[in-house]
C-alpha cells in the first residue's frame, strides 16, 4: 500500500500535537509558585503564616483582578503566575459530575460511588462515615493530580430531613440533629484529612488509615469540605413555592435545637473550611444576605475558611426575592453579611458598578479574598508543583481500588434496613432456591441504585445481577414500564412469571422522576400503579413475596406492612454501586441486616400538612401534628430508629450516674423562670452558657449487648432521653447517644456511650438559648429505663 509523504507528515504532526496537549509532563503543569517561570513572591514563602501569605497575594492584585476571583470559576492572574481555579467540585457520596470542576474524560474514567448519604446514615456507624470521607478525599486528590477534579468539594449536605416529601432528603443524614451533627463531624474530618496518619477501624474488622487532628482550624488540608445549605433549607418546588423565593419562617427555638446544630458541629468540631448559604430567605432575609446568620458562623462558631453562595443565590437576592432594589445593592448586602464568593457570574458582572456607586468598598473584597486564598494555601496550591508535594504520588492507581470498593460494599450492607420479616421468612436458603422471579423496573438498572449527585461508578451492579450470583434460574419482568408506572400493560407478564418461580422479589420505589433537586413529591404512596403491581403479584405467588424499596423519601406502604402475602420488606434506599451485591448477601443470609431508619415514615395523610410550615413542634390548637420523632404526635408507618435483624439482642445497663449537679451562676435562668405551662409543672432549668465546665459533666453510660439468637450480627444501640417538661416545646424524647456493635451469636459485647449534658441533654428555649432542664431525666435503652436527676 502506497503512503504519501503528506500522510506521514500529518500523522506525526497530530501525534506530537496531541501528545504535548494531553500528555504533558508534570513540569508543564500550571501551578502557582513555579519558580522556573516566575520570581519568588512572598506568597510562595512557606515559612510565613497562612494569613501573611494570603495577604501578600491580595496586596498585589488590581481591582479588576480582585473582582475576577469572586466567582466559582476564578480567573488566572498571568503576571503573578497564578492559574485559574474552579471552586465547584462535588463529592457528596463519591466524586460527582454535577460541578464543572470534575470530569471523567481523562486517565481516570470512574470513581467509587458509595451509598447515598441517607443510606450511610442508616448504619449509625461513625467510623464508616469517617472512612467514606477519607476515601473520597484520596480519589479527589488523585483526580486533581491529573487535572480532573478540584480540591474544594461542596459536601456534606447536613440539612435536616424535615418533611418526607423533600426531593433532596436522600442527600442528608436524616431527621435527627444529633445524628446529622455526628455525621458532619466524621465526614468532614475524613474528607479534609484523607486517612493518612492515624488508624481507625469499623467494628466488623474492616480497617483503613485515618487522621483526626485537633488544631486551630488553620492546618493543612487534603481536601476542603463545605457544609451546606445554610440554613432551614428543605423545600425545592411544592405547590406555588420554590426554593428561589421561599421564605423559611422559623422560630428561634427551632433554629436553636433543630436547624442549626448540624452546621455548628460541622464548623466547630468538624472544622470544615467552607460554608454554603442557601437560596431561601430565613425570617424575611435571604440566607446569603443575612449578617446575623453568617457572622454567627464566623465569629461565634469560629469558621476558618470561606463562605460561598449556592449557585446563582446572589442573583436571586435581587432577581427573585426582590430583597435588594438594585443589582449593586444585592452585591453590597451579601458582602457586608459575610459572603466571600458567588457560585455564578452575578458578582463578576456587578461588583465594579457597586464600587463605583460607593455601595461596596475595595476593603470588603480584600476581606473575602483573604478567606479564599487562605484555603487555597492550606490546600498546598501555592507550594509549587503539587505532584512533588505531600499527595503528589496519588493517581489513577488510587481510584476505584479494591479497598474503596470493599468499603462501598460494606457501607451498602450496613445501611440496609429490614422492616418486616414475618415468620423469619428471610434469609432464604441459598442452597435450596431452584428459581427466583424478580419484578420491577428498578431491579435491572444499576443506575437507579446510585441516587443524586453521582459520577461514573467503578463496578456498578444491578439487583438482578446480584441475585444471579446466588440463583441459576431467574425470571425477570419490569411490570411497570418505568417508576411513574402510569400503565398496567406489563402486569400480565409479571403475574405469569410470578407463578413460575419458587420465590418472588418485587422491587418498587422512587427515582429522580419523583424526588430530586428542584422537585418535591406530592404523595407518600408508591408512584402510579406500583401498589397494584405489588398486590397483584403477591396474590398469585406460590409463597409470600419479598418487597424491596428503593429511594430516599419515606413511603406509606401500610398496605404491604399489613398484608400477610408480603413476608418481608427491605429498604435499601440508594445503595450505590455495590447495592446489588449487598442486597443479595442480605437476602441469602451472608450478611445479617442491622440498619435503622434515620427518618420517620409517615402515613399519606401527612401530605395535608403544608410543606411550607417550618414549625417542628406540634400545635394542637391548629391541628398541626409536629415533625420528626422528637415532636410528631400522629400515626407512623415506621418510626425513626426502626430496623430488624435475623437474630435477637438483649440489653443490660451496667452503669450510669443517678445524679448530676450543675455548677455556675444562675441569675439569668432565675430571671427567666416564669409560668409558661400549667400548674404543678416544675419550672427549673439552667442556661448552658451559665454552666461551669461542661466538659467535667460528661459521663459514660456503660452497657452490655447479648446476641441471644442464631446469627452473628451488627446491632445499633440507641440511647434516648425524656426530659422534664419545663418548657413549651420540650421534645417527646431525644437521641443522646448511639453505637454500632458486632456481636457473635450467644455472646456479649460491652460498650460505653459518652453523654455530654450541655449538648445532648439540653434543648432550646423560646429565645433559642440552650438550656438544661432540671429534674428527673429518663434515659432509655430499648425497654430499659434509668433515671438521672439533674440539679443545681
Amino acid at each position: 500500500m502506497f503512503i504519501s509523504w503528506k500522510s506521514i507528515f500529518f500523522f506525526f504532526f497530530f501525534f506530537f500535537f496531541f501528545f504535548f496537549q494531553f500528555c504533558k509532563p508534570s513540569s508543564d503543569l500550571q501551578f502557582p509558585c513555579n519558580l522556573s517561570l516566575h520570581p519568588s513572591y512572598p506568597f510562595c514563602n512557606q515559612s510565613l503564616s497562612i494569613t501573611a501569605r494570603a495577604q501578600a497575594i491580595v496586596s498585589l492584585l488590581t481591582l479588576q483582578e480582585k473582582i475576577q476571583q469572586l466567582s466559582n470559576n476564578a480567573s488566572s492572574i498571568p503576571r503573578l503566575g497564578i492559574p485559574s481555579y474552579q471552586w465547584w467540585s462535588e463529592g457528596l457520596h463519591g466524586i460527582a459530575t454535577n460541578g464543572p470542576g470534575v470530569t471523567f474524560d481523562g486517565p481516570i474514567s470512574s470513581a467509587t460511588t458509595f451509598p447515598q448519604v441517607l443510606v450511610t446514615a442508616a448504619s449509625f456507624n461513625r467510623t464508616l462515615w469517617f472512612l467514606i470521607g477519607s476515601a473520597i478525599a484520596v480519589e479527589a486528590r488523585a483526580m486533581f493530580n491529573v487535572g480532573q477534579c478540584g480540591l474544594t468539594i461542596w459536601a456534606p449536605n447536613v440539612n435536616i430531613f424535615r418533611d418526607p416529601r423533600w426531593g433532596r432528603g436522600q442527600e442528608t443524614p436524616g431527621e435527627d440533629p444529633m445524628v446529622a451533627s455526628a455525621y458532619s463531624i466524621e465526614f468532614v474530618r475524613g474528607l479534609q484529612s484523607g486517612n493518612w496518619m492515624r488508624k481507625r477501624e469499623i467494628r466488623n474488622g474492616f480497617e483503613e488509615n485515618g487522621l483526626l487532628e485537633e488544631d486551630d482550624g488553620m492546618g493543612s488540608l487534603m481536601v476542603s469540605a463545605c457544609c451546606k445549605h445554610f440554613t432551614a433549607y428543605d423545600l425545592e418546588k411544592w405547590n406555588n413555592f420554590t426554593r428561589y423565593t421561599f421564605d423559611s419562617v422559623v422560630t428561634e427555638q427551632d433554629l436553636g435545637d433543630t436547624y442549626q446544630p448540624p452546621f455548628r458541629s460541622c464548623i466547630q468540631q468538624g472544622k470544615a473550611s467552607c460554608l454554603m448559604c442557601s437560596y431561601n430567605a430565613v425570617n424575611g432575609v435571604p440566607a446569603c444576605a443575612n449578617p446575623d446568620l453568617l457572622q454567627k458562623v464566623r465569629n461565634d462558631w469560629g469558621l476558618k475558611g470561606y463562605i460561598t453562595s449556592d449557585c446563582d443565590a446572589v442573583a436571586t437576592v435581587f432577581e427573585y426575592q426582590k430583597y435588594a432594589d438594585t443589582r449593586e445593592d444585592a452585591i453590597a448586602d451579601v458582602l457586608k453579611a459575610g459572603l466571600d464568593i458567588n457560585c455564578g457570574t452575578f458578582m463578576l458582572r456587578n461588583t465594579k458598578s457597586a464600587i463605583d456607586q460607593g455601595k461596596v468598598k475595595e476593603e470588603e473584597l480584600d476581606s473575602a479574598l483573604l478567606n479564599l486564598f487562605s484555603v487555597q494555601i492550606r490546600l498546598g496550591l501555592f507550594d509549587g508543583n503539587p505532584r512533588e508535594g505531600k499527595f503528589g504520588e496519588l493517581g489513577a492507581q488510587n481510584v476505584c481500588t479494591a479497598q474503596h470498593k470493599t468499603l462501598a460494599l460494606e457501607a451498602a450492607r450496613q445501611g440496609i434496613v429490614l422492616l418486616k420479616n414475618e415468620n423469619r421468612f428471610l434469609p432464604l436458603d441459598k442452597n435450596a432456591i431452584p428459581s427466583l422471579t424478580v419484578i420491577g423496573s428498578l431491579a435491572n438498572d444499576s443506575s437507579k441504585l446510585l441516587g443524586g449527585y453521582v459520577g461514573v461508578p467503578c463496578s456498578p451492579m444491578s439487583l438482578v445481577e446480584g441475585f444471579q450470583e446466588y440463583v441459576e434460574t431467574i425470571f425477570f419482568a419490569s411490570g411497570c414500564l418505568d417508576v411513574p408506572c402510569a400503565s398496567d400493560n406489563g402486569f400480565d407478564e409479571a403475574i405469569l412469571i410470578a407463578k413460575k418461580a419458587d420465590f418472588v422479589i418485587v422491587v418498587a420505589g422512587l427515582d429522580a422522576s419523583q424526588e430530586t433537586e428542584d422537585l418535591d413529591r406530592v404523595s407518600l404512596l408508591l408512584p402510579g400503579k406500583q401498589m397494584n403491581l405489588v398486590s397483584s403479584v403477591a396474590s398469585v405467588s406460590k409463597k409470600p413475596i419479598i418487597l424491596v424499596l428503593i429511594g430516599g423519601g419515606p413511603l406509606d406502604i401500610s398496605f404491604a406492612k399489613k398484608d400477610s402475602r408480603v413476608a418481608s420488606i427491605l429498604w435499601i434506599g440508594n445503595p450505590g454501586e455495590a447495592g446489588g451485591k449487598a442486597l443479595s448477601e442480605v437476602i441469602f443470609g451472608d450478611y445479617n441486616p442491622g440498619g435503622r431508619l434515620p427518618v420517620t415514615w409517615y402515613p399519606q395523610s401527612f401530605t395535608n400538612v403544608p410543606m411550607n410550615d417550618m414549625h417542628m413542634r406540634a400545635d394542637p390548637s391548629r391541628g398541626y401534628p409536629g415533625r420528626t420523632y422528637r415532636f410528631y404526635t400522629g400515626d407512623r408507618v415506621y418510626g425513626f430508629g426502626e430496623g430488624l435483624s435475623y437474630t435477637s439482642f438483649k440489653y443490660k445497663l451496667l452503669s450510669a450516674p443517678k445524679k448530676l449537679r450543675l455548677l455556675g451562676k444562675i441569675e439569668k435562668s432565675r430571671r427567666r423562670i416564669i409560668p409558661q405551662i400549667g400548674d404543678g409543672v416544675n419550672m427549673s432549668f439552667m442556661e448552658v452558657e451559665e454552666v461551669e465546665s461542661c466538659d467535667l459533666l460528661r459521663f459514660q453510660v456503660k452497657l452490655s449487648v447479648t446476641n441471644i439468637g442464631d446469627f452473628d450480627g451488627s446491632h445499633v444501640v440507641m440511647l434516648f432521653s425524656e426530659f422534664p417538661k419545663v418548657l413549651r416545646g420540650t421534645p417527646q424524647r431525644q437521641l443522646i447517644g448511639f453505637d454500632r456493635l458486632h456481636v457473635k451469636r450467644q455472646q456479649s459485647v460491652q460498650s460505653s456511650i459518652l453523654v455530654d449534658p450541655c449538648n445532648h441533654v439540653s434543648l432550646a428555649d423560646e429565645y433559642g438559648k440552650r438550656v438544661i432542664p432540671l429534674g428527673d431525666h429518663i434515659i432509655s435503652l430499648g425497654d430499659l429505663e434509668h433515671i438521672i436527676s439533674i440539679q443545681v
Side-chain angles (χ1 to χ4, degrees):
M1 181 175 63
F2 174 77
I3 301 177
S4 70
W5 67 269
K6 289 185 178 180
S7 299
I8 296 173
F9 171 82
F10 281 112
F11 171 83
F12 281 104
F13 173 83
F14 284 109
F15 174 83
F16 284 110
F17 174 81
F18 282 103
F19 177 86
F20 284 109
Q21 287 298 309
F22 299 104
C23 303
K24 293 180 180 179
S26 60
S27 60
D28 290 341
L29 289 175
Q30 290 189 330
F31 52 88
C33 301
N34 186 339
L35 300 184
S36 65
L37 299 177
H38 297 277
S40 179
Y41 294 103
F43 57 77
C44 299
N45 184 352
Q46 297 181 45
S47 68
L48 297 177
S49 70
I50 290 169
T51 300
R53 295 174 70 188
Q55 288 173 334
I57 300 172
V58 176
S59 69
L60 295 172
L61 303 184
T62 66
L63 176 59
Q64 188 57 33
E65 288 170 340
K66 292 175 181 179
I67 293 172
Q68 293 299 313
Q69 298 299 306
L70 299 179
S71 166
N72 61 286
N73 188 16
S75 298
S76 63
I77 309 171
R79 66 185 182 85
L80 299 179
I82 299 177
S84 61
Y85 181 74
Q86 177 55 255
W87 287 87
W88 180 8
S89 293
E90 298 282 359
L92 185 71
H93 56 116
I95 304 302
T97 54
N98 299 69
V102 173
T103 176
F104 286 99
D105 184 12
I108 298 175
S109 58
S110 59
T112 311
T113 302
F114 296 95
Q116 184 58 282
V117 176
L118 193 67
V119 179
T120 305
S123 72
F124 285 86
N125 188 333
R126 287 181 172 87
T127 304
L128 181 66
W129 303 338
F130 176 90
L131 295 178
I132 289 174
S134 299
I136 294 171
V138 170
E139 298 200 351
R141 266 287 174 175
M143 293 181 67
F144 170 79
N145 286 345
V146 296
Q148 292 183 238
C149 185
L151 294 179
T152 42
I153 302 294
W154 287 354
N157 180 341
V158 294
N159 292 115
I160 293 297
F161 197 168
R162 171 191 63 97
D163 192 289
R165 292 162 286 188
W166 186 30
R168 301 184 72 177
Q170 60 174 279
E171 301 175 24
T172 76
E175 70 180 35
D176 182 72
M178 184 204 177
V179 175
S181 296
Y183 178 86
S184 72
I185 293 168
E186 297 296 339
F187 182 83
V188 167
R189 285 175 169 174
L191 190 65
Q192 295 198 153
S193 64
N195 73 10
W196 281 88
M197 294 186 60
R198 203 177 84 181
K199 187 172 286 187
R200 303 187 70 185
E201 55 188 52
I202 297 180
R203 296 185 187 276
N204 67 3
F206 184 92
E207 289 188 351
E208 180 93 8
N209 288 327
L211 171 66
L212 273 179
E213 281 187 344
E214 290 297 333
D215 56 32
D216 62 357
M218 286 294 282
S220 63
L221 299 167
M222 186 175 187
V223 169
S224 168
C226 192
C227 317
K228 63 182 186 183
H229 311 81
F230 188 71
T231 187
Y233 166 70
D234 53 11
L235 182 149
E236 301 298 307
K237 190 175 183 180
W238 179 82
N239 283 359
N240 294 324
F241 298 94
T242 73
R243 60 180 179 166
Y244 306 108
T245 58
F246 181 56
D247 181 15
S248 297
V249 178
V250 187
T251 67
E252 292 297 325
Q253 190 173 35
D254 287 340
L255 270 177
D257 64 12
T258 298
Y259 294 107
Q260 300 293 63
F263 291 98
R264 184 176 66 244
S265 296
C266 199
I267 299 299
Q268 286 186 331
Q269 286 80 47
K271 299 190 183 300
S273 49
C274 168
L275 180 91
M276 176 185 287
C277 53
S278 52
Y279 291 111
N280 57 285
V282 178
N283 295 329
V285 182
C288 290
N290 194 321
D292 292 338
L293 291 176
L294 300 190
Q295 294 304 322
K296 175 184 285 289
V297 173
R298 196 172 294 282
N299 298 332
D300 296 347
W301 299 350
L303 172 67
K304 299 295 191 301
Y306 71 101
I307 298 176
T308 180
S309 73
D310 205 337
C311 294
D312 290 322
V314 176
T316 64
V317 172
F318 168 70
E319 294 175 356
Y320 292 101
Q321 295 168 339
K322 309 298 183 184
Y323 179 79
D325 293 332
T326 67
R327 292 175 173 82
E328 292 77 15
D329 287 332
I331 301 293
D333 289 339
V334 298
L335 285 172
K336 285 176 171 56
L339 187 79
D340 298 311
I341 192 170
N342 167 219
C343 179
T345 61
F346 190 83
M347 291 180 73
L348 292 182
R349 293 181 281 113
N350 298 293
T351 300
K352 180 61 164 61
S353 176
I355 291 175
D356 291 342
Q357 294 179 24
K359 295 179 177 180
V360 170
K361 297 179 180 179
E362 187 172 351
E363 290 77 11
E364 291 172 310
L365 304 191
D366 293 347
S367 178
L369 294 175
L370 181 65
N371 295 325
L372 294 168
F373 284 121
S374 292
V375 170
Q376 289 187 325
I377 292 169
R378 292 171 63 191
L379 287 164
L381 295 182
F382 286 82
D383 292 346
N385 190 342
R387 291 188 180 175
E388 296 174 0
K390 182 177 179 181
F391 308 110
E393 77 280 7
L394 294 176
Q397 73 277 7
N398 301 102
V399 181
C400 290
T401 62
Q403 195 174 38
H404 288 176
K405 289 192 282 187
T406 299
L407 181 62
L409 173 60
E410 182 61 30
R413 290 167 175 160
Q414 292 196 23
I416 291 175
V417 182
L418 178 64
L419 293 171
K420 179 181 179 182
N421 198 26
E422 283 192 356
N423 302 316
R424 299 191 174 186
F425 191 78
L426 291 177
L428 302 182
D429 184 350
K430 59 187 175 183
N431 298 314
I433 310 293
S435 61
L436 177 70
T437 285
V438 182
I439 294 170
S441 62
L442 291 164
N444 207 25
D445 184 349
S446 62
S447 69
K448 299 295 185 181
L449 304 180
L450 305 180
Y453 279 77
V454 295
V456 180
C458 308
S459 305
M461 176 183 287
S462 71
L463 300 187
V464 170
E465 289 171 330
F467 299 144
Q468 286 172 342
E469 295 187 356
Y470 287 87
V471 182
E472 191 169 315
T473 303
I474 293 182
F475 305 101
F476 171 76
S478 63
C480 296
L481 178 64
D482 51 21
V483 169
C485 196
S487 169
D488 59 5
N489 288 342
F491 283 23
D492 289 345
E493 181 188 7
I495 291 170
L496 180 64
I497 65 169
K499 297 176 181 178
K500 289 184 178 181
D502 297 277
F503 293 89
V504 176
I505 298 173
V506 178
V507 181
L510 309 171
D511 70 356
S513 69
Q514 307 297 308
E515 54 171 8
T516 188
E517 187 167 6
D518 244 350
L519 177 64
D520 296 317
R521 289 189 292 156
V522 295
S523 172
L524 300 182
L525 301 175
L526 287 170
K529 298 180 182 294
Q530 284 192 40
M531 186 190 307
N532 294 339
L533 176 64
V534 174
S535 298
S536 298
V537 170
S539 68
V540 300
S541 176
K542 296 177 184 177
K543 295 182 177 67
I545 68 169
I546 301 163
L547 176 61
V548 174
L549 299 171
I550 290 178
L555 292 161
D556 183 349
I557 50 163
S558 302
F559 79 99
K561 181 180 181 180
K562 299 172 183 176
D563 192 342
S564 61
R565 299 170 303 176
V566 180
S568 301
I569 302 174
L570 292 139
W571 176 76
I572 66 172
N574 300 107
E577 66 176 60
K581 182 173 179 61
L583 177 63
S584 61
E585 289 180 348
V586 168
I587 286 179
F588 293 100
D590 283 340
Y591 190 87
N592 187 354
R596 302 284 197 101
L597 288 180
V599 288
T600 301
W601 284 30
Y602 303 84
Q604 170 67 4
S605 59
F606 191 84
T607 57
N608 294 324
V609 176
M611 192 174 175
N612 61 303
D613 192 324
M614 302 295 289
H615 289 84
M616 299 301 300
R617 272 94 175 156
D619 185 353
S621 68
R622 59 188 182 94
Y624 186 72
R627 297 176 181 275
T628 78
Y629 80 95
R630 296 164 65 224
F631 305 108
Y632 177 61
T633 57
D635 295 331
R636 296 163 175 79
V637 179
Y638 289 106
F640 171 86
E642 284 198 43
L644 304 174
S645 171
Y646 294 155
T647 189
S648 299
F649 298 92
K650 183 179 180 180
Y651 296 136
K652 185 177 181 181
L653 190 62
L654 301 179
S655 68
K658 293 183 178 180
K659 292 183 179 180
L660 282 180
R661 188 167 297 278
L662 307 182
L663 298 177
K665 298 178 180 179
I666 58 173
E667 294 306 314
K668 290 183 181 178
S669 300
R670 277 181 176 157
R671 286 199 300 270
R672 294 177 48 235
I673 294 174
I674 55 177
Q676 298 184 60
I677 34 187
D679 294 338
V681 178
N682 180 17
M683 296 301 303
S684 299
F685 59 84
M686 186 170 183
E687 288 189 17
V688 168
E689 66 181 27
E690 293 185 331
V691 176
E692 291 181 2
S693 304
C694 280
D695 291 348
L696 298 179
L697 289 174
R698 294 175 180 174
F699 62 88
Q700 298 279 355
V701 175
K702 296 182 180 180
L703 54 97
S704 173
V705 178
T706 302
N707 184 338
I708 59 176
D710 298 326
F711 293 84
D712 296 351
S714 293
H715 181 66
V716 175
V717 176
M718 308 181 82
L719 191 66
F720 290 92
S721 177
E722 292 182 31
F723 297 159
K725 300 298 188 288
V726 301
L727 293 170
R728 284 197 185 97
T730 297
Q732 299 174 112
R733 61 176 185 148
Q734 182 163 302
L735 185 68
I736 61 173
F738 61 89
D739 196 6
R740 188 179 180 108
L741 308 171
H742 189 76
V743 191
K744 293 184 177 181
R745 58 181 180 171
Q746 301 303 316
Q747 293 189 18
S748 298
V749 171
Q750 293 185 7
S751 179
S752 293
I753 294 178
L754 178 65
V755 179
D756 179 353
C758 290
N759 283 320
H760 303 150
V761 192
S762 65
L763 64 148
D765 66 9
E766 62 182 306
Y767 305 101
K769 292 280 189 180
R770 299 291 298 199
V771 301
I772 299 177
L774 304 180
D776 290 345
H777 293 245
I778 302 174
I779 307 301
S780 60
L781 178 66
D783 294 331
L784 301 179
E785 291 187 349
H786 174 80
I787 294 178
I788 299 177
S789 178
I790 300 181
Q791 301 296 336
V792 175

